[in-house]
Amino acid sequence: MKKLTTSVLAVVLSSSFAVVSAQKVQDTAKTQDIEGVVVTALGIKREQKAIGYAAQEIKGDLITASRQTNAISSLSGNVAGVQVTASSASMGGSTRITLRGVGSITGDNRPLIVVDGIPFNNSNFNTGNTARGAGGVDYGDTSADINPDDIESIVVLKGGPAAALYGARAIHGAIVYTTKRGKGGKTQITLNSGVSFDHIYKMPNLQREYGQGSQDTFSTANINGQTFNVAEYAVDESWGPKYDPNLLYLPWYAFDPEFSNDYLKAVPWVAPKHDVDSFFKTGVTYNNNISISRSFEKTGVRFSYSNVRTEGIFPNSHLNKNTLNLSVTSQLSDKLKMDVGLTYNLNDAFNRPEQGYGDNSVAQKFFQWGARSLDFSKLKDYKLANGQQRGWNRTSWDNATLKYSDNPYWTAYENYTTDKRQRVYGNASLTYNFTKDFYAVGNLLGDVYSFTNDTRVAIGSQAQSGYTINKRNFSEYNYELRLHFDKKFGDFSINSFVGTNMRQAKADLIAAQTNGGLVIPNFYNLNNGAAAATVTYTSNYKRVYSLYESVSLGYKDIFFVDATNRTDWSSALPNKPYNYPSISGSIVFSSLVNAPWLNFAKIRGGWANISSDTDPYELVNVYDVRIPFLGFPRYSNTDISKNPNLVSENKKTVELGLEARMFNNRFGIDLTLYDAKVTDQIIPLPIDGGTGAIRANINVGEMSNKGIEVVLNGKILKSQDFSWDMTLNFAKNENKLVELSDTSKTLGLANAPFRVGVYAVEGMKYGQIYGTDYTYDNNGNRIIGANGYYTPTSTPVYLGSYLPDWNGGLRNTFRYKNITLSALIDRQKGGKYFSTSHMWGMYSGMLDKTANNGIRENGIVLDGVVRQADGSFVQNTKVLDAYTYATKHYNVVDAANVFDASYWKLREVTLGYTLPKGLLGDAISDVTVTAFARNLFTWGLAWDIDPETASYSSNNVQGLEGGSLPSTRTYGFNVQFKF
């Protein structure tokens, strides 16, 4: 599920166009139409008017206005053609981003991230179970290490012609970040200090009329000579008695003598005063940054330090992020220039909450299986003096053994997780000018990090106790050399270069876990298991050699044509070269027509052919090292057979575009049409098990994406003190899996924990949800069986794709003197998701729909028709009891749990005020106070939850909600001082 929201085209166009005064003659204006430059592939700066592809730039100040802490999710609503899914429910969780749809069936569809020329590793280490909603921790993406406060600008290279020079890793586009450098003749100090608050917002609506149990009456127990009503404590459903303040019973917490105020004291059977919402805290994020920059005669230096500390909505959780950045630029001589940047990042998280259908997922306990009669103020006393857990889901009144679920506070304070990532990345660049037009550039680029995460299940938990730990290391170095020749010959111009690059990447993982449970409580060590620990080690290396060439020709600053080519030799593919050519061009036709109202206009077009390689060690079959058995080593064939004849996936892209500004730059349009096809997909297709493997990597399949992007922007009102700017965008992508293979027409991507799966299906849109549907008569009415419930299809069918039909957005910005107000509205239309929370929440009597309108007393008559003996249909009149209606949401009609993923969102609102200069003295040059809100309102939902929270990873597995925490609203303020 993805969103494409408002693009602030004004930033792009105002940075690209010189404002043309109405008093100037048209010819003069035409020669000054675009003087801005934009950073393109390999960090090379080009004039915006000269490029023949879509490359949209936004400034760093725009993404930091609402104090976003993630440089990827902050792109949402700011760039046309970009679809971002960033759940607000998790602390530093995953952000899925795609440019112009999904192109690869099983590969990574995310764009390449580049920071100051450094190819930035953006791995996601969530497990497959986490991604499919089957339980796990969302650790987020490693791109979270980018500090938004250090960003000067971002350029999004959406299509093949724009990103071809980056080669295989940019087959799905590239996002190029440029960080700030020292500038200005004097020392500049900028201090940002802000705080924001997260409040839970969207979550399933729960019923408050019936409590724990499976029967509508209590049983009784004689305890110490007295008879009490007792609940069905072992039942994790809420089909129990209706609430009645005159009905007394012994709650789950009435059986521990050390809690004397509650021991054997009956209480009224009423809805809890402190419900699920009271479990969640108000999340708080403290965001502080200081930067110091100074430009000397020939040297610029900038240093910054950022600290972001988040205390999550989940109790006992926090995330601490520290970033140090140092950059130095220096003109060492008349011919030699140096540019060096180095960043250190430390991400330290404690107790990220589990999501999905898992033992430690509180969402599963709150919304799927649970007791609606629990008062959370009582659950806070989760432990006895001897360390034993006090749980609501005890086996019986006289047996405290937990049946299914832990106390959620035990989960939060005893079964916690930790993770830490340390990262260093940097670049060192030398530029040597042989002449004014001929120069050489040498770059050394490095990205190194280590990531450690562990999980704990305490002794006394419902699940078996244990400890797991994973340690990862990653490093990548790029060594690049380029020779450039740029010159103007009268009306002609040429910008050209040739270059070479060597890339070396290494990754390894040590994973270990205890077995048989822990022996000593609260001692989390691999040697504390009842049996020997299991330890595995994996590593991989990859090397790519590259050559690339580029030439751009211009005539009279009106006609431009570019041609590029890159050739890679990858160790992951057979030893032969792979070429990535592209050609593009543009015509600034506003310089050819006499139209005083037209300030600037150009048409552009491009074609590219890019390929993508694969992971290391996919060519030759080797033995797989398995876990030893009884101390003896084990080796076996791999599950996926290797293929020595693999070739790279191939993507051909064609795009056409129009850019124009008119009426003294009061109105602008940016229109792009594109058509992209990816062939020779590398897919693990099923094979005969007699070969010793169950799948084999094969080059087959074709995926198509065709789309349109439209951005309109206008200055609605403008005066000396007031302005109103508006930007409207619309993007529609038509995705189709044109062909899979001769032998297979479907490929499973993932299955939800109990029902349905997500598939790639030949002839259909990618990401189809596969499950049983309603059956219909010829008039489209749902058919109901003799039992009063809907009749399912005899076999599963495809219920829709998780990909949206289209996205749009609207941003309005108002400025009055020193006050700025900006608001962004997002719209997503279409897409589907399956909800496990809805399925089990109905089954267990948790959701409000199982109690609304007196359904438990009166039953329900479902809307539909009943087939008669003669084959005709009549309107259904059969009354179905609530329990049967609700429990049939499982294992009957899966479509009952599939929902439209459309939404409207007030994504962002900011209100800023800049104090008059000099108000606080000469030492402070600027003070700006900003109040902001994010995810303020969401409406137009098919069901209670925010569809974006149905995403737990940034890979291709989407649309499977397994148990999500509530979405959040964020409010905050920030103060910026400039000295």
Side-chain angles (χ1 to χ4, degrees), residues 144-162:
D145 296 339
I146 302 172
N147 179 26
D149 282 313
D150 288 333
I151 296 171
E152 178 73 26
S153 67
I154 306 167
V155 176
V156 180
L157 306 175
K158 305 172 192 175

Side-chain angles (χ1 to χ4, degrees), residues 363 436 550-551 556 738 796 862 924:
K436 181 179 66 174
S550 173
V551 60
K556 288 189 174 181
V738 178
L862 297 179
I924 302 177

Side-chain angles (χ1 to χ4, degrees), residues 18 64 150 252 254 256 292 382 436 480 501 503 516-517 525 557 576 590 616 661 709 793 878 901:
T64 57
D150 288 333
W252 67 271
D256 299 309
I292 303 171
Y382 69 86
K436 181 179 66 174
E480 182 189 35
N501 186 86
R503 168 191 168 203
N525 188 286
D557 280 345
K576 64 179 182 179
S590 55
R661 285 186 70 82
E709 299 162 359
T793 53
K878 183 178 180 63

Side-chain angles (χ1 to χ4, degrees), residues 540-617:
N540 64 69
Y541 303 82
K542 189 173 184 177
R543 179 175 292 178
V544 180
Y545 295 99
S546 305
L547 292 174
Y548 31 78
E549 309 87 29
S550 173
V551 60
S552 175
L553 302 175
Y555 177 66
K556 288 189 174 181
D557 280 345
I558 298 174
F559 303 95
F560 299 92
V561 62
D562 286 12
T564 71
N565 185 67
R566 176 172 176 136
T567 306
D568 282 351
W569 291 262
S570 172
S571 65
L573 291 174
N575 188 24
K576 64 179 182 179
Y578 295 88
N579 287 337
Y580 317 116
S582 77
I583 186 168
S584 61
S586 63
I587 302 174
V588 184
F589 66 87
S590 55
S591 296
L592 301 174
V593 298
N594 184 17
W597 55 271
L598 186 62
N599 300 109
F600 169 79
K602 83 169 184 178
I603 56 173
R604 63 176 190 260
W607 169 90
N609 186 355
I610 310 178
S611 298
S612 174
D613 61 357
T614 186
D615 295 329
Y617 317 131

Side-chain angles (χ1 to χ4, degrees), residues 28-75:
T28 303
K30 297 294 178 63
T31 64
Q32 299 176 352
D33 42 6
I34 345 181
E35 300 301 333
V37 296
V38 63
V39 178
T40 62
L42 304 180
I44 296 168
K45 294 181 179 180
R46 297 285 308 281
E47 287 185 287
Q48 177 84 21
K49 65 182 178 183
I51 60 176
Y53 45 79
Q56 187 170 342
E57 180 184 29
I58 61 174
K59 298 300 183 184
D61 291 345
L62 183 66
I63 69 168
T64 57
S66 62
R67 303 307 292 157
Q68 284 268 14
T69 59
N70 187 296
I72 301 296
S73 61
S74 62
L75 295 178

Side-chain angles (χ1 to χ4, degrees), residues 713-751:
N713 104 295
K715 298 182 182 296
I716 309 303
L717 295 173
K718 185 177 181 181
S719 66
Q720 182 176 352
D721 292 333
F722 179 78
S723 67
W724 173 14
D725 297 334
M726 181 184 294
T727 303
L728 175 69
N729 77 56
F730 170 84
K732 182 176 178 63
N733 181 73
E734 292 288 346
N735 172 275
K736 184 178 181 180
L737 178 54
V738 178
E739 181 184 7
L740 188 56
S741 78
D742 293 335
T743 58
S744 297
K745 303 303 179 184
T746 65
L747 180 68
L749 304 175
N751 292 317

